[in-house]
Amino acid sequence: MPTVEKDLVCFSHLRWNFVFQRPQHLLTRFSSVMRVFYIEEPIYADQDDFLTFEKPADNIWVIVPHLNHKQDNHTSRQQKLLQAFFKEHKIENYIFWFYTPMAMDLSSVFKPELVIYDCMDELSAFKYAPPSLKYFEDELFKKADLVFTGGYSLYQAKKHRHENIHPFPSSIDKDHFQSARTIMKDPDDQANIPHPRIGFYGVIDERMNLDMIAKVAELKPEYHFVIIGPVVKIDHATLPRLENIHYLGGKSYQELPNYLAGWDIAMIPFELNESTRFISPTKTPEYLAAGKPVISSSIQDVVNPYGDKNLVYIADTAEAFIDAAVKELTASDREDWLSRVDEFLLENSWNSTWSQMVQFINEKLADKESGKKIYNINLKEDLYV
């Protein structure tokens, strides 16, 4: 396979080693055909400016700027660090890929051959979002050659802002999560939790409807809630503490099927507010691929399509949640449901999503480089199944 003579430089608000999700899924695939440089937000301390970088995988560099918090001109100082890094690593023909519009100011001194905005969330609605985020997103929409969205509802909200915008909702590594259907041994920290178990994994933050979980736990003390993931942006003291709620902390992506295998029901208990209005939870198809029934809040991108197709239960109150749990726990036959789940997920994969994105990228490269030598991204058809 010919070498792709382009690099991909990604600006992200998410730490690479935080939670393995959309950026990691997509960029790991890009790294099979090109170099990927993942630039995280800076860390501030009382020291001279410098960059650190590590290689978590072949062809992926994770770069972290470290800036002296006492000095001004944070943007220009970070630009100088990155310009030196680009020169040292011969990053000359490159695509810019944005997850955070806040990096627009930082990227102004560079000349990418293509600018892509993968808008995975409505970040301006998140807790502690900087006031300038909306301004920088406006600028990013002006500069972007291509825009992808993390779901259909977000696409509907953004489609009027760009002429070349495409929805790509959450995908799955099907084999990885389907393995939960055959795993028999519980992880040690879950093994002694009684059944029925209702589980959640993901970031525990202001989007979680903790009050509803607490109420269900109080009304149904025989139900045991397994909650996996880091707690961010909220005080640990606000977490409901009951004997049947079990916080197991963060787990690696590789470990998740081992925990899923031991659950009776999986849940997506989000609040309905501005921060969840346009989200498309990746965990929805992952739970289903594991063969687990799901109870979810009425998040738009869960209701349509999963709720509308009767693949998940929709519940926004403790009473509705309990009704769904009782119905599921007393169900005698789930074969028809599981068959419909598998049929629905048949074409769902991160490899398919990535391949479709590459097609749009190559089309745009061809448009921009007509009359020049074109270095398209070449796919390895057998790379991911």
Side-chain angles (χ1 to χ4, degrees):
M1 187 188 73
T3 301
V4 177
E5 299 186 25
K6 291 192 190 300
D7 297 313
L8 190 150
V9 179
C10 174
F11 297 92
S12 181
H13 58 295
L14 300 168
R15 301 291 177 194
W16 182 269
N17 292 324
F18 178 51
V19 175
F20 199 93
Q21 52 188 306
R22 182 184 182 96
Q24 290 87 342
H25 282 294
L26 293 173
L27 298 179
T28 298
R29 285 160 172 76
F30 275 110
S31 73
S32 68
V33 294
M34 63 205 305
R35 295 192 301 175
V36 172
F37 298 91
Y38 187 86
I39 302 174
E40 297 182 354
E41 292 183 331
I43 294 174
Y44 295 94
D46 187 8
Q47 58 193 359
D48 293 336
D49 297 346
F50 65 98
L51 288 179
T52 58
F53 68 91
E54 59 181 20
K55 292 189 68 177
D58 290 342
N59 245 15
I60 298 176
W61 286 257
V62 176
I63 303 160
V64 184
H66 296 255
L67 302 179
N68 189 316
H69 68 93
K70 294 181 179 179
Q71 298 181 21
D72 296 328
N73 304 318
H74 293 171
T75 297
S76 61
R77 287 157 49 215
Q78 193 175 172
Q79 287 171 334
K80 290 178 182 178
L81 291 173
L82 291 174
Q83 285 174 316
F85 185 88
F86 275 40
K87 184 176 181 180
E88 179 182 356
H89 290 267
K90 295 182 172 57
I91 306 173
E92 298 167 349
N93 301 305
Y94 50 90
I95 294 169
F96 271 179
W97 183 287
F98 288 86
Y99 281 109
T100 172
M102 297 303 295
M104 276 301 294
D105 196 26
L106 173 66
S107 65
S108 61
V109 298
F110 299 96
K111 295 182 179 179
E113 298 189 26
L114 209 65
V115 175
I116 299 168
Y117 179 25
D118 189 16
C119 180
M120 62 182 285
D121 287 305
E122 182 57 85
L123 294 179
S124 64
F126 281 22
K127 194 173 185 178
Y128 305 129
S132 57
L133 194 148
K134 288 186 177 181
Y135 166 78
F136 283 116
E137 187 178 65
D138 287 340
E139 293 301 302
L140 182 50
F141 270 109
K142 294 175 186 176
K143 296 285 187 180
D145 298 290
L146 269 172
V147 178
F148 304 132
T149 66
Y152 291 110
S153 61
L154 196 55
Y155 168 76
Q156 292 296 329
K158 304 282 187 180
K159 66 180 182 180
H160 67 284
R161 300 178 64 180
H162 202 276
E163 62 181 11
N164 200 348
I165 182 171
H166 310 276
F168 284 101
S170 299
S171 300
I172 48 171
D173 276 338
K174 203 173 305 175
D175 290 346
H176 181 61
F177 287 97
Q178 281 185 338
S179 68
R181 301 187 187 189
T182 57
I183 293 173
M184 303 301 293
K185 187 177 184 301
D186 254 330
D188 290 343
D189 56 350
Q190 183 171 272
N192 293 324
I193 297 174
H195 289 268
R197 297 175 186 158
I198 302 175
F200 169 90
Y201 64 71
V203 178
I204 303 163
D205 58 17
E206 79 279 7
R207 295 173 296 174
M208 288 275 285
N209 191 341
L210 295 172
D211 290 340
M212 184 180 73
I213 294 173
K215 187 172 181 181
V216 175
E218 289 173 352
L219 293 171
K220 302 292 285 185
E222 68 272 27
Y223 292 178
H224 285 262
F225 291 86
V226 178
I227 300 179
I228 291 172
V231 179
V232 301
K233 294 190 289 184
I234 60 174
D235 189 342
H236 283 69
T238 64
L239 299 177
R241 302 287 180 178
L242 297 166
E243 290 186 0
N244 57 336
I245 300 179
H246 310 269
Y247 300 98
L248 302 188
K251 305 298 176 184
S252 72
Y253 180 74
Q254 295 303 319
E255 291 177 293
L256 293 179
N258 298 302
Y259 286 88
L260 264 170
W263 299 352
D264 299 288
I265 297 173
M267 64 176 176
I268 307 175
F270 286 151
E271 296 274 11
L272 300 180
N273 55 34
E274 284 303 306
S275 66
T276 62
R277 183 179 176 188
F278 300 114
I279 63 172
S280 176
T282 306
K283 58 183 62 62
T284 314
E286 291 174 350
Y287 288 161
L288 293 174
K292 298 302 174 182
V294 180
I295 303 175
S296 173
S297 305
S298 56
I299 302 300
Q300 290 186 54
D301 281 13
V302 178
V303 173
N304 181 14
Y306 301 100
D308 291 345
K309 294 183 179 295
N310 294 318
L311 300 179
V312 307
Y313 297 96
I314 302 298
D316 291 319
T317 66
E319 293 74 19
F321 190 104
I322 291 170
D323 287 346
V326 169
K327 182 177 180 180
E328 182 55 41
L329 293 171
T330 57
S332 58
D333 183 10
R334 296 172 55 243
E335 291 303 316
D336 175 66
W337 168 80
L338 195 57
S339 176
R340 290 187 291 108
V341 163
D342 288 343
E343 182 179 359
F344 180 81
L345 296 179
L346 192 60
E347 302 300 324
N348 189 325
S349 74
W350 282 113
N351 193 46
S352 175
T353 295
W354 175 66
S355 299
Q356 292 175 62
M357 286 179 167
V358 167
Q359 291 178 11
F360 285 117
I361 293 170
N362 282 336
E363 289 172 5
K364 195 61 185 179
L365 285 171
D367 289 343
K368 296 192 75 170
E369 300 182 13
S370 57
K372 302 179 184 179
K373 186 176 181 180
I374 298 172
Y375 302 107
N376 280 355
I377 298 173
N378 297 276
L379 298 179
K380 285 184 178 179
E381 294 183 359
D382 62 343
L383 187 62
Y384 295 94
V385 178

